[in-house]
Every structure is written in structure tokens, then in C-alpha cells.
Amino acid sequence: MSVSLYSVKLARAVLIVQLVTFVIIGALFTLKEVTWGASAIAGGVAAWLPNVLFMFLAWRLQDQTPAKGRVAWSFALGEVLKVFTTVIFLAVALGVFGAVFWPLAITWLSVLVVQIVAPAVINNKG
């Protein structure tokens, strides 16, 4: 999510929709089995927390007048951190905690789809 493309209000709304999405999906998977629900929550956290980290980095630069090239480097650093944290969360969930793959993957992909679809839906609601 680029700061130039999304306002703080829209980014916050997308993060809230993502949070609600993985909590609901986790609750639905918990109806089948508790380990499936925990795996789904782990998949949602693996997609959502890196986005929160990225948005904090992006919001930090919004009030400043950045030096030439600083926005690009900050964006690139944010994306690299986002990818690494996602990989670490998924590896820990699958390797250390033994999460069930399918609920984790479905929830992770659902949160990513919400990240793509939600801005269009939120912007067109009026």
C-alpha cells in the first residue's frame, strides 16, 4: 500500500477489514476443530501484522517533507521488512507450532485478497 495512493483513513479502514476477515474465518475454522481455528488465526496474523508494520513506516513519513529519494528507499525497506516478517510468521506457524496448512493458507490468501479488493469497495461506496 503506497502512502501516495491511500490516505491514512482508508489504510486504517483496510487494516480493520483485514482484521475482521481473519477473525471471522478463524472462528469458522474453530467450529471444525480448535487447531484448525488457531492455524487460520496464525495465517491471518502472518498477512495482517506485516501490513500494520508497513503502514506504521509509511505513516511516519507522511508528516515530513522527505529528502529526494527517501520515500522510494523507505517504501522499498518497508516492502522488504513486510516480506521477511511474513515468511518468518509462516515458518514459525508451520514449523514450530505445527499449524494445519489449509486453514493457514486459506486465511492468509483471504487477507491478501481483502487488501486488494477493500480499497476499491471503500472508495466506491457513495
PDB file of all heavy atoms in Angstrom, residues 72-87:
ATOM      1  N   ALA A  72      11.220   6.539  -1.789  1.00  0.00           N
ATOM      2  CA  ALA A  72      11.425   5.287  -2.510  1.00  0.00           C
ATOM      3  C   ALA A  72      12.195   4.279  -1.664  1.00  0.00           C
ATOM      4  O   ALA A  72      11.842   3.098  -1.615  1.00  0.00           O
ATOM      5  CB  ALA A  72      12.170   5.556  -3.814  1.00  0.00           C
ATOM      6  N   TRP A  73      13.245   4.738  -0.990  1.00  0.00           N
ATOM      7  CA  TRP A  73      14.016   3.835  -0.147  1.00  0.00           C
ATOM      8  C   TRP A  73      13.198   3.357   1.047  1.00  0.00           C
ATOM      9  O   TRP A  73      13.279   2.198   1.445  1.00  0.00           O
ATOM     10  CB  TRP A  73      15.306   4.498   0.337  1.00  0.00           C
ATOM     11  CG  TRP A  73      16.384   4.395  -0.687  1.00  0.00           C
ATOM     12  CD1 TRP A  73      16.856   5.405  -1.459  1.00  0.00           C
ATOM     13  CD2 TRP A  73      17.110   3.236  -1.058  1.00  0.00           C
ATOM     14  NE1 TRP A  73      17.833   4.939  -2.302  1.00  0.00           N
ATOM     15  CE2 TRP A  73      18.007   3.608  -2.071  1.00  0.00           C
ATOM     16  CE3 TRP A  73      17.080   1.906  -0.646  1.00  0.00           C
ATOM     17  CZ2 TRP A  73      18.865   2.698  -2.672  1.00  0.00           C
ATOM     18  CZ3 TRP A  73      17.938   1.002  -1.237  1.00  0.00           C
ATOM     19  CH2 TRP A  73      18.819   1.405  -2.240  1.00  0.00           C
ATOM     20  N   SER A  74      12.407   4.231   1.618  1.00  0.00           N
ATOM     21  CA  SER A  74      11.570   3.849   2.743  1.00  0.00           C
ATOM     22  C   SER A  74      10.513   2.838   2.312  1.00  0.00           C
ATOM     23  O   SER A  74      10.227   1.874   3.023  1.00  0.00           O
ATOM     24  CB  SER A  74      10.906   5.079   3.336  1.00  0.00           C
ATOM     25  OG  SER A  74      10.117   4.729   4.430  1.00  0.00           O
ATOM     26  N   PHE A  75       9.931   3.056   1.135  1.00  0.00           N
ATOM     27  CA  PHE A  75       8.945   2.122   0.607  1.00  0.00           C
ATOM     28  C   PHE A  75       9.592   0.761   0.355  1.00  0.00           C
ATOM     29  O   PHE A  75       9.041  -0.279   0.720  1.00  0.00           O
ATOM     30  CB  PHE A  75       8.349   2.677  -0.696  1.00  0.00           C
ATOM     31  CG  PHE A  75       7.298   1.799  -1.294  1.00  0.00           C
ATOM     32  CD1 PHE A  75       6.001   1.840  -0.814  1.00  0.00           C
ATOM     33  CD2 PHE A  75       7.593   0.937  -2.333  1.00  0.00           C
ATOM     34  CE1 PHE A  75       5.026   1.032  -1.364  1.00  0.00           C
ATOM     35  CE2 PHE A  75       6.618   0.132  -2.882  1.00  0.00           C
ATOM     36  CZ  PHE A  75       5.327   0.176  -2.400  1.00  0.00           C
ATOM     37  N   ALA A  76      10.774   0.761  -0.251  1.00  0.00           N
ATOM     38  CA  ALA A  76      11.474  -0.490  -0.528  1.00  0.00           C
ATOM     39  C   ALA A  76      11.838  -1.213   0.761  1.00  0.00           C
ATOM     40  O   ALA A  76      11.667  -2.435   0.868  1.00  0.00           O
ATOM     41  CB  ALA A  76      12.721  -0.222  -1.363  1.00  0.00           C
ATOM     42  N   LEU A  77      12.323  -0.485   1.753  1.00  0.00           N
ATOM     43  CA  LEU A  77      12.653  -1.083   3.035  1.00  0.00           C
ATOM     44  C   LEU A  77      11.407  -1.661   3.697  1.00  0.00           C
ATOM     45  O   LEU A  77      11.431  -2.762   4.253  1.00  0.00           O
ATOM     46  CB  LEU A  77      13.299  -0.044   3.957  1.00  0.00           C
ATOM     47  CG  LEU A  77      13.613  -0.514   5.374  1.00  0.00           C
ATOM     48  CD1 LEU A  77      14.666  -1.605   5.362  1.00  0.00           C
ATOM     49  CD2 LEU A  77      14.045   0.660   6.225  1.00  0.00           C
ATOM     50  N   GLY A  78      10.306  -0.930   3.632  1.00  0.00           N
ATOM     51  CA  GLY A  78       9.042  -1.413   4.191  1.00  0.00           C
ATOM     52  C   GLY A  78       8.573  -2.688   3.526  1.00  0.00           C
ATOM     53  O   GLY A  78       8.109  -3.615   4.191  1.00  0.00           O
ATOM     54  N   GLU A  79       8.696  -2.764   2.214  1.00  0.00           N
ATOM     55  CA  GLU A  79       8.291  -3.973   1.497  1.00  0.00           C
ATOM     56  C   GLU A  79       9.187  -5.154   1.846  1.00  0.00           C
ATOM     57  O   GLU A  79       8.711  -6.272   2.005  1.00  0.00           O
ATOM     58  CB  GLU A  79       8.303  -3.729  -0.015  1.00  0.00           C
ATOM     59  CG  GLU A  79       7.122  -2.941  -0.511  1.00  0.00           C
ATOM     60  CD  GLU A  79       5.803  -3.646  -0.307  1.00  0.00           C
ATOM     61  OE1 GLU A  79       5.731  -4.886  -0.481  1.00  0.00           O
ATOM     62  OE2 GLU A  79       4.826  -2.968   0.025  1.00  0.00           O
ATOM     63  N   VAL A  80      10.488  -4.921   1.964  1.00  0.00           N
ATOM     64  CA  VAL A  80      11.416  -5.995   2.331  1.00  0.00           C
ATOM     65  C   VAL A  80      11.096  -6.500   3.740  1.00  0.00           C
ATOM     66  O   VAL A  80      11.030  -7.713   3.971  1.00  0.00           O
ATOM     67  CB  VAL A  80      12.882  -5.516   2.225  1.00  0.00           C
ATOM     68  CG1 VAL A  80      13.839  -6.488   2.886  1.00  0.00           C
ATOM     69  CG2 VAL A  80      13.258  -5.316   0.760  1.00  0.00           C
ATOM     70  N   LEU A  81      10.877  -5.588   4.679  1.00  0.00           N
ATOM     71  CA  LEU A  81      10.502  -5.986   6.031  1.00  0.00           C
ATOM     72  C   LEU A  81       9.183  -6.746   6.047  1.00  0.00           C
ATOM     73  O   LEU A  81       9.016  -7.714   6.794  1.00  0.00           O
ATOM     74  CB  LEU A  81      10.411  -4.764   6.936  1.00  0.00           C
ATOM     75  CG  LEU A  81      11.725  -4.161   7.396  1.00  0.00           C
ATOM     76  CD1 LEU A  81      11.480  -2.859   8.154  1.00  0.00           C
ATOM     77  CD2 LEU A  81      12.484  -5.139   8.262  1.00  0.00           C
ATOM     78  N   LYS A  82       8.257  -6.309   5.216  1.00  0.00           N
ATOM     79  CA  LYS A  82       6.955  -6.959   5.131  1.00  0.00           C
ATOM     80  C   LYS A  82       7.089  -8.402   4.638  1.00  0.00           C
ATOM     81  O   LYS A  82       6.502  -9.321   5.218  1.00  0.00           O
ATOM     82  CB  LYS A  82       6.065  -6.144   4.187  1.00  0.00           C
ATOM     83  CG  LYS A  82       4.632  -6.528   4.163  1.00  0.00           C
ATOM     84  CD  LYS A  82       3.869  -5.472   3.383  1.00  0.00           C
ATOM     85  CE  LYS A  82       2.719  -6.057   2.675  1.00  0.00           C
ATOM     86  NZ  LYS A  82       1.965  -5.095   1.906  1.00  0.00           N
ATOM     87  N   VAL A  83       7.888  -8.611   3.617  1.00  0.00           N
ATOM     88  CA  VAL A  83       8.085  -9.961   3.076  1.00  0.00           C
ATOM     89  C   VAL A  83       8.802 -10.842   4.099  1.00  0.00           C
ATOM     90  O   VAL A  83       8.395 -11.994   4.335  1.00  0.00           O
ATOM     91  CB  VAL A  83       8.858  -9.902   1.742  1.00  0.00           C
ATOM     92  CG1 VAL A  83       9.297 -11.287   1.305  1.00  0.00           C
ATOM     93  CG2 VAL A  83       8.005  -9.257   0.662  1.00  0.00           C
ATOM     94  N   PHE A  84       9.873 -10.325   4.705  1.00  0.00           N
ATOM     95  CA  PHE A  84      10.616 -11.127   5.686  1.00  0.00           C
ATOM     96  C   PHE A  84       9.757 -11.483   6.901  1.00  0.00           C
ATOM     97  O   PHE A  84       9.792 -12.622   7.368  1.00  0.00           O
ATOM     98  CB  PHE A  84      11.886 -10.406   6.132  1.00  0.00           C
ATOM     99  CG  PHE A  84      13.027 -10.556   5.180  1.00  0.00           C
ATOM    100  CD1 PHE A  84      13.798  -9.463   4.844  1.00  0.00           C
ATOM    101  CD2 PHE A  84      13.338 -11.777   4.601  1.00  0.00           C
ATOM    102  CE1 PHE A  84      14.855  -9.580   3.959  1.00  0.00           C
ATOM    103  CE2 PHE A  84      14.385 -11.915   3.713  1.00  0.00           C
ATOM    104  CZ  PHE A  84      15.151 -10.812   3.386  1.00  0.00           C
ATOM    105  N   THR A  85       8.988 -10.534   7.409  1.00  0.00           N
ATOM    106  CA  THR A  85       8.141 -10.851   8.559  1.00  0.00           C
ATOM    107  C   THR A  85       7.053 -11.854   8.201  1.00  0.00           C
ATOM    108  O   THR A  85       6.727 -12.725   9.008  1.00  0.00           O
ATOM    109  CB  THR A  85       7.520  -9.583   9.182  1.00  0.00           C
ATOM    110  OG1 THR A  85       6.810  -8.866   8.185  1.00  0.00           O
ATOM    111  CG2 THR A  85       8.564  -8.716   9.832  1.00  0.00           C
ATOM    112  N   THR A  86       6.521 -11.754   6.992  1.00  0.00           N
ATOM    113  CA  THR A  86       5.524 -12.728   6.555  1.00  0.00           C
ATOM    114  C   THR A  86       6.130 -14.126   6.499  1.00  0.00           C
ATOM    115  O   THR A  86       5.541 -15.087   7.000  1.00  0.00           O
ATOM    116  CB  THR A  86       4.956 -12.346   5.170  1.00  0.00           C
ATOM    117  OG1 THR A  86       4.338 -11.070   5.262  1.00  0.00           O
ATOM    118  CG2 THR A  86       3.940 -13.361   4.690  1.00  0.00           C
ATOM    119  N   VAL A  87       7.298 -14.244   5.902  1.00  0.00           N
ATOM    120  CA  VAL A  87       7.965 -15.548   5.798  1.00  0.00           C
ATOM    121  C   VAL A  87       8.282 -16.095   7.187  1.00  0.00           C
ATOM    122  O   VAL A  87       8.073 -17.284   7.462  1.00  0.00           O
ATOM    123  CB  VAL A  87       9.239 -15.438   4.927  1.00  0.00           C
ATOM    124  CG1 VAL A  87      10.071 -16.698   5.021  1.00  0.00           C
ATOM    125  CG2 VAL A  87       8.861 -15.159   3.478  1.00  0.00           C
TER     126      VAL A  87
END
